[in-house]
Amino acid sequence: MKVLLTGGSGFVGKHCLDSLLKHGHTVTTTVRSDAKGRECLNDYPEFSDKLFYCVVEDMATSGAFDEAVQSEPPFEAVVHTASPFHYHATDLKRDMIDPAILGTTEILRAIKEYAPLVKRVVITSSFAAVFNFQEVVNVYTSKDWNPITMEQALSDGQLAYMGSKTFAEKAAWDFVEDKKPGFTLATINPVMIFGPATYRLHSLDAVNTSNTIFRDMIQGKMKLGVPQNSFQWVDARDVALAHVRAIEVPEAAGKRFLAAAGPYSNGEMATIVKDRFPELKGQFPDQIEVQENAQSFVIDNTPAKQILGIQFRGLEDCVVDTVKSLMAVTA
């Protein structure tokens, strides 16, 4: 299949690119600069006839994707992983929420207008668009939505992030319902994503946000104690495969897929690292406290398993592979 991938140089995007190529698809990825595009090509010399790039400097501008979606032969599917980011959002609506919504609706509008042969669009959403921070939910399913309002989202940075993911995904489903385009939509809603660092990580300072926990372990920042933290997690490679399967499987149309392998705690992960990497033993306290039953809710990942055929990796495999990839950077 000929696929347009947005955000192919990001953490999830790189894993999606890897998975798409290995599943035989021809991919054009959008990147923010020529340098990023050349890096992508250099990482896959064996796919030189199947991998291309185009530059989209700012996805939140009007018409940003108008040229990117046009191709000969035409694209048949689009995987949209890119999301606008601002490290220092001074105005939460202008810098975080509006660009997230516009980045999503702009690509859908461009596909409808200029890429009529696209039959499936898959968007990387987030469990943040599902999670209810106002009341207890025992079992989350794809029917659940974060009830956040715009007023709440504008009250602080973390809520603005949750709001941006929620409003952007809602805008995508509304677009499909209102505009009746020629494509169907599916979304992937991952929880906390861990997994091996992809190519081109020159320094541990450049590690993606969710993997900083492993960097801190390697660097001995937890010698005096492991901070108590727990949530649900998923491996980046399984998230990537979910995107690929979602363009391939007809039954994925019109569905949200919660991508979650299960609960984790920092103590549990630190124990795995300490046990499996003897050379890092001195970076941890003698006793690591592991929280029992730290997670109070369950996420129903049955659709991802049954419809997309995802067999979620276990925590130990993910932790070991991730730490190995980060140790390679420090070597």
Side-chain angles (χ1 to χ4, degrees), residues 127-128 130-133 135-141 144 162 189-192 230-233 258-264 292-301:
F127 185 68
V130 179
F131 185 67
N132 190 326
F133 62 101
E135 59 185 68
V136 174
V137 176
N138 293 320
V139 180
Y140 281 97
T141 73
D144 290 301
M162 293 173 85
N189 297 67
V191 287
M192 185 63 121
S230 63
F231 199 64
Q232 300 259 348
W233 76 283
L258 307 190
Y264 78 92
E292 294 295 325
N293 304 320
Q295 212 52 64
S296 58
F297 59 86
V298 171
I299 295 174
D300 180 8
N301 61 8

Side-chain angles (χ1 to χ4, degrees), residues 2 8 21 23 27 42 46 48 140 173 191 219-220 229 249 268 275 283 293 313 322 330-331:
K2 187 159 186 195
L21 290 170
H23 280 78
V27 184
N42 291 340
E46 71 275 32
S48 58
Y140 281 97
W173 290 112
V191 287
Q219 293 179 338
N229 187 38
V249 177
E268 194 181 354
D275 289 349
Q283 308 290 55
N293 304 320
R313 285 172 170 79
T322 302
T330 60

